[in-house]
Amino acid sequence: MITEVTITVLPDDEKNKNLIEKLILKELAKKNVSTGKKHIPVFVKKSIDARHGQLKFHLRYKVFIDEEPGEVKTSALPEWKSADGKKTVIIVGSGPAGLFGALKLLEKGIKPVIVERGERTSDRKKSIAKISTQDLVDSDSNYCFGEGGAGTFSDGKLYTRSNKRGDISKILQIFVRFGADEKILTDAHPHIGTDKLPAVINAMRNFIIEKGGEFYFNSKCTGFIGKNNCITGISMENTKSGEKIELQGDAVLLATGHSASDIYEMLAKISPHSLEAKTFAMGVRVEHPRTLIDSIQYHGKTEGMGAAEYRLVTQVEGRGVYSFCMCPGGFVVPSATGPDEIVVNGMSAAGRNSKWSNAAIVVETRPEDIPEEFVQRAKGAGCKALAGLYFRKYIEEETKKQGKGQAAPAQRMTDFLANRETKDFPPSSYTPGIVSSRIDIWMPEQIAGRLAQGFLDFGKNMKGFVNKDAVLIASETRTSTPVRILRDKESCESVAIKNMYPAGEGAGYAGGIVSSAMDGEKVCQAISEKI
């Protein structure tokens, strides 16, 4: 017999074996399991609870009753086959939806051909460095585009609440298979780290190639081949040489990520009904000294605890205001995908040991919230669903005007709330630099006003969050896409374009690494069944 129990201990008792044994026995008794039987507890997961002024650890164990413990895994690794070349699926995008989709295809021996507009991780690192050192943004290879997708160089957080999308534990085990630390199998909020994830992604790529898959880097999808709204391939252009190539396949997995605006515009031209507007969010990245956040969350007991996380949410005037992609012990990074914009994001290395902690604080933005000028512009382009995309672009360009190069406009939180200019700043992790700006004035009131009330609400529930050393860095706009590529619920095929299968964050069906990976698997399972 196998059963699971969760016990709660104080930090000082985490290694107290006698107390843990007593608490496990107590939980077994509640389940009417005889405590006289042989039982072997195997640790499964730990989570930290900092609520109600008392720091606690929740420890989950799998307890084997009258039997020896086997390997504590909920999912077996898939059996991947070598592709026989009889069937081919073109995958546009090498993020988690694309990579895990490719692995799913290999379970059936179907050949994946991955087309990525950005560079391999080794070259992508150099392009990313130029954003901070030279204010140069490569529109095709940056924090958002390139091998592994947006998550590769912006944190590698694996926490998701998308339990109904697929088998989360299997996704985590596949990451471990390709080099991630086994801790991600037991951490409540698993995290690989931006310093570790590139090697994992490289191992996945090499394995896919070994099994017969192909990769095209620096290769931008420029169009779709086919007729009568049925595609048979794609056209692409090498972003370095300009060489144009056409690829033919039995299906196309569109896994291009939330920043590939040109893909939405391409689809809008050939099939505007394939898109719909969806809710997204925009705001700022808030950076605090890590010691401050740790002290608040751990109630002053920070020794040996590691960097603290937080999750905040409130409602302001009928819209959600919430934290997103919280990066404890992390950095704020430049995530623009064009030279005429400033976009910020957050990341943490595996050790989460920087001097700062940051998070996006964003405001829910619904299709009906888009200003009329952008709605009319989208109608003029023949696709109303693009209005949110145009609004997002406007804010990113306005942010650029308020900054200097890639130095981002910033304001102390206390100055933002007091509607005044910031005269000086504490040190910041954002390497291109920050410049003083009245974010409270130029950011649209529907966002700025709700942010202000949101900060006040957060300050009541998390004493010390509103602080003179908290800095707002603008603008955080890429939490999700404002456009959804419509697909059939059962077949996962585009409702308007045959043989096209939208997947992941860019398609509007996921919101992070793990959920995108599961969605890529789901869609490629559907493709496998069809072809």
Side-chain angles (χ1 to χ4, degrees), residues 327-473:
C327 299
F331 303 88
V332 181
V333 296
S335 292
T337 52
D340 58 347
E341 63 195 32
I342 287 179
V343 180
V344 294
N345 196 0
M347 54 155 272
S348 299
R352 290 182 162 178
N353 54 5
S354 85
K355 298 177 182 178
W356 302 272
S357 290
N358 68 77
I361 305 293
V362 291
V363 176
E364 177 188 7
T365 303
R366 299 179 184 174
E368 59 264 34
D369 301 331
I370 307 301
E372 186 62 23
E373 64 179 290
F374 304 106
V375 174
Q376 291 303 319
R377 181 180 165 192
K379 286 181 177 178
C383 183
K384 188 179 176 181
L386 297 179
L389 197 68
Y390 293 151
F391 184 36
R392 182 179 80 175
K393 182 65 173 175
Y394 160 77
I395 290 180
E396 293 168 354
E397 290 178 343
E398 186 62 28
T399 307
K400 171 78 172 185
K401 293 174 185 176
Q402 300 295 329
K404 185 178 181 182
Q406 280 297 309
Q411 193 173 14
R412 287 182 188 259
M413 185 185 292
T414 48
D415 291 336
F416 177 84
L417 293 172
N419 303 116
R420 67 187 176 218
E421 180 185 0
T422 296
K423 305 243 185 226
D424 61 347
F425 289 102
S428 172
S429 69
Y430 186 71
T431 53
I434 54 178
V435 295
S436 182
S437 176
R438 289 291 301 275
I439 299 174
D440 59 301
I441 291 178
W442 61 261
M443 185 164 281
E445 173 59 23
Q446 67 192 75
I447 298 175
R450 288 186 172 99
L451 282 176
Q453 184 58 53
F455 293 145
L456 294 176
D457 290 352
F458 298 153
K460 292 175 184 177
N461 297 321
M462 188 175 166
K463 303 295 184 184
F465 183 82
V466 176
N467 187 285
K468 67 181 180 63
D469 288 332
V471 176
L472 317 185
I473 304 176

Side-chain angles (χ1 to χ4, degrees), residues 66-189:
D66 278 345
E67 63 178 274
E68 293 298 318
E71 192 173 10
V72 184
K73 289 187 177 181
T74 57
S75 305
L77 284 173
E79 293 183 8
W80 293 295
K81 302 175 183 177
S82 294
D84 57 20
K86 293 179 181 178
K87 297 289 183 179
T88 298
V89 174
I90 300 167
I91 298 175
V92 186
S94 70
L99 290 173
F100 278 79
L103 290 172
K104 174 58 71 173
L105 293 172
L106 287 172
E107 291 181 39
K108 304 295 184 181
I110 299 171
K111 180 178 181 178
V113 178
I114 299 178
V115 176
E116 170 57 55
R117 70 193 297 167
E119 298 167 308
R120 295 170 182 256
T121 55
S122 55
D123 295 320
R124 190 179 172 195
K125 287 179 182 178
K126 300 171 187 175
S127 295
I128 286 171
K130 290 179 181 178
I131 302 175
S132 296
T133 60
Q134 301 177 36
D135 284 331
L136 293 177
V137 178
D138 184 328
S139 297
D140 294 308
S141 192
N142 41 61
Y143 274 100
C144 293
F145 299 145
E147 184 177 15
T152 303
F153 289 100
S154 56
D155 210 41
K157 280 188 287 296
L158 303 178
Y159 176 65
T160 181
R161 289 174 289 162
S162 302
N163 294 299
K164 295 181 180 180
R165 292 179 184 267
D167 189 341
I168 295 173
S169 63
K170 188 182 85 169
I171 299 296
L172 300 183
Q173 287 171 44
I174 291 175
F175 273 120
V176 171
R177 158 65 177 80
F178 290 104
D181 195 304
E182 288 191 353
K183 288 191 301 182
I184 67 172
L185 300 176
T186 55
D187 287 348
H189 289 182

Side-chain angles (χ1 to χ4, degrees), residues 14-322:
E14 183 187 6
K15 305 297 183 183
N16 188 332
K17 294 182 179 180
N18 291 332
L19 176 62
I20 288 173
E21 172 68 9
K22 290 179 182 178
L23 292 174
I24 289 174
L25 290 173
K26 184 176 180 181
E27 292 302 314
L28 290 175
K30 290 180 183 178
K31 292 174 173 278
N32 295 317
V33 176
S34 172
T35 56
K37 292 184 177 181
K38 175 185 175 184
H39 63 279
I40 302 176
V42 177
F43 175 68
V44 175
K45 190 165 295 235
K46 176 178 83 171
S47 59
I48 299 173
D49 185 348
R51 298 171 297 173
H52 312 303
Q54 177 64 66
L55 191 63
K56 303 171 185 175
F57 289 164
H58 298 307
L59 308 178
R60 181 149 56 97
Y61 289 85
K62 183 168 285 190
V63 185
F64 294 79
I65 310 296
D66 278 345
E67 63 178 274
E68 293 298 318
E71 192 173 10
V72 184
K73 289 187 177 181
T74 57
S75 305
L77 284 173
E79 293 183 8
W80 293 295
K81 302 175 183 177
S82 294
D84 57 20
K86 293 179 181 178
K87 297 289 183 179
T88 298
V89 174
I90 300 167
I91 298 175
V92 186
S94 70
L99 290 173
F100 278 79
L103 290 172
K104 174 58 71 173
L105 293 172
L106 287 172
E107 291 181 39
K108 304 295 184 181
I110 299 171
K111 180 178 181 178
V113 178
I114 299 178
V115 176
E116 170 57 55
R117 70 193 297 167
E119 298 167 308
R120 295 170 182 256
T121 55
S122 55
D123 295 320
R124 190 179 172 195
K125 287 179 182 178
K126 300 171 187 175
S127 295
I128 286 171
K130 290 179 181 178
I131 302 175
S132 296
T133 60
Q134 301 177 36
D135 284 331
L136 293 177
V137 178
D138 184 328
S139 297
D140 294 308
S141 192
N142 41 61
Y143 274 100
C144 293
F145 299 145
E147 184 177 15
T152 303
F153 289 100
S154 56
D155 210 41
K157 280 188 287 296
L158 303 178
Y159 176 65
T160 181
R161 289 174 289 162
S162 302
N163 294 299
K164 295 181 180 180
R165 292 179 184 267
D167 189 341
I168 295 173
S169 63
K170 188 182 85 169
I171 299 296
L172 300 183
Q173 287 171 44
I174 291 175
F175 273 120
V176 171
R177 158 65 177 80
F178 290 104
D181 195 304
E182 288 191 353
K183 288 191 301 182
I184 67 172
L185 300 176
T186 55
D187 287 348
H189 289 182
H191 167 254
I192 295 179
T194 192
D195 51 335
K196 306 289 187 182
L197 189 51
V200 176
I201 298 300
N202 294 167
M204 285 186 176
R205 178 235 300 161
N206 291 335
F207 180 81
I208 291 169
I209 292 173
E210 177 187 318
K211 290 295 184 180
E214 291 183 24
F215 279 80
Y216 289 84
F217 291 105
N218 306 309
S219 298
K220 185 176 181 178
C221 176
T222 55
F224 302 105
I225 302 168
K227 58 184 178 180
N228 300 324
N229 283 333
C230 179
I231 65 170
T232 56
I234 69 165
S235 55
M236 64 184 188
E237 181 177 337
N238 188 287
T239 58
K240 303 296 184 182
S241 67
E243 180 186 6
K244 293 179 171 58
I245 301 174
E246 291 188 351
L247 293 177
Q248 297 287 337
D250 296 283
V252 173
L253 179 73
L254 201 60
T256 48
H258 56 43
S259 293
S261 300
D262 55 327
I263 294 294
Y264 302 127
E265 292 173 338
M266 191 187 306
L267 291 172
K269 289 179 181 178
I270 63 175
S271 182
H273 299 298
S274 66
L275 306 176
E276 73 172 2
K278 63 177 282 292
T279 296
F280 61 114
M282 296 190 289
V284 296
R285 181 99 357 203
V286 177
E287 182 171 69
H288 289 82
R290 176 189 154 188
T291 52
L292 174 63
I293 296 299
D294 290 354
S295 181
I296 293 171
Q297 292 299 84
Y298 296 145
H299 310 291
K301 299 177 181 179
T302 61
E303 186 176 355
M305 291 301 299
E309 300 181 51
Y310 62 78
R311 181 173 176 267
L312 300 168
V313 62
T314 188
Q315 284 282 318
V316 179
E317 298 175 3
R319 297 292 181 267
V321 180
Y322 55 92

Side-chain angles (χ1 to χ4, degrees), residues 490-505:
E490 298 299 324
S491 70
C492 296
E493 190 175 30
S494 164
V495 298
I497 305 172
K498 297 298 181 184
N499 289 341
M500 176 183 286
Y501 293 80
E505 282 198 49

